[in-house]
Amino acid sequence: MKAALDARQATVCRGTGAPLWAVADYAARTEPAAPVRIATASFHDLPDTAFVRDVPLLATIGMHRDATGFDCATSILGSGPARTSMVVNRAARSFFECSAHTLGLLRHGTDPAAFSRALADDGVYSAQPGLLVGLARHGLIEVDAPLTGTVGSDLMVEPTAELIRRDGVDFAVNLLSGRTIGMRPRLAELVGALRETGEPIPDPFHETTGVRALLRAGVLRRLTR
């Protein structure tokens, strides 16, 4: 079960005051095995790209070729085990935390069911349908099956998005990149309803600036038809 994050945990690394991405990037730069080549652009900042809702059951999952996995001393999100592992794609500016067991599965290649169970046991992220597509979207895992297609009208909230309220303002935080977006009340109501029901709905705002900003930030996902 995923532990709830407060507003500070969702944006700042505990004990440092530094943004989450800055700490993940620093950790990756000190890792000798980190890839040195330039990665291709991540899908998450392309608002017109549509994704399937979940990874096909017969697919094979591995670590993204531009990401590196390593053990670290502590969880920067503060919601995982005291000692944890991390996967970072510096070019895509994304990361996720997991256990050493989950990282081992990823390094050797695994199937969606086994990887989803391992992530659920880790308890760092919400084990909702679509989590694996979100990790692939952010350049952290690779899947040997197509994940994009014809753009549909439905939107969903990424399972790795955290909704917080601070000083009377609603924010959406992408826990895979640390990006934080302020939301107007109507948009916050939409995103909150999407998160509560867990079911995709048609975009009621028809491509407003706010919706596109959340798509680009990797908080919302546009689904295929």
Side-chain angles (χ1 to χ4, degrees):
M1 180 70 68
K2 176 186 179 295
L5 298 177
D6 60 29
R8 185 170 179 80
Q9 280 180 297
T11 54
V12 176
C13 179
R14 61 178 182 175
T16 69
L20 296 178
W21 166 250
V23 178
D25 183 54
Y26 174 80
R29 283 190 285 115
T30 62
E31 175 61 28
V36 295
R37 64 182 178 274
I38 298 175
T40 54
S42 176
F43 281 127
H44 74 79
D45 58 358
L46 303 176
D48 296 319
T49 303
F51 298 84
V52 297
R53 189 174 186 191
D54 216 345
V55 171
L57 293 176
L58 298 180
T60 299
I61 295 171
M63 190 181 300
H64 194 280
R65 62 189 177 278
D66 295 313
T68 184
F70 51 92
D71 297 324
C72 47
T74 187
S75 165
I76 67 173
L77 285 174
S79 60
R83 293 189 63 84
T84 188
S85 297
M86 188 182 298
V87 177
V88 178
N89 185 327
R90 293 187 62 212
R93 295 179 61 87
S94 58
F95 71 97
F96 79 97
E97 293 186 343
C98 61
S99 65
H101 168 69
T102 302
L103 179 58
L105 289 177
L106 198 57
R107 282 173 168 158
H108 293 96
T110 186
D111 61 85
F115 192 56
S116 295
R117 284 195 302 270
L119 288 171
D121 290 342
D122 292 345
V124 180
Y125 304 102
S126 179
Q128 299 178 18
L131 174 58
L132 304 190
V133 174
L135 295 176
R137 179 186 181 189
H138 286 76
L140 295 165
I141 66 173
E142 288 186 336
V143 181
D144 67 346
L147 300 180
T148 60
T150 304
V151 176
S153 61
D154 284 358
L155 301 173
M156 67 172 282
V157 178
E158 288 286 0
T160 49
E162 192 80 14
L163 308 181
I164 61 176
R165 187 172 179 82
R166 186 167 54 198
D167 299 327
V169 180
D170 292 298
F171 295 90
V173 183
N174 180 347
L175 295 181
L176 298 181
S177 67
R179 292 183 68 175
T180 303
I181 304 289
M183 298 182 290
R184 295 181 182 274
R186 285 189 63 209
L187 184 57
E189 184 178 349
L190 164 70
V191 177
L194 277 168
R195 165 53 54 81
E196 185 175 347
T197 63
E199 293 298 325
I201 65 169
D203 177 3
F205 296 135
H206 305 294
E207 291 287 351
T208 64
T209 301
V211 168
R212 289 184 68 81
L214 292 178
L215 287 165
R216 187 174 293 110
V219 170
L220 291 180
R221 182 192 309 172
R222 190 172 299 287
L223 295 176
T224 57
R225 289 180 182 173

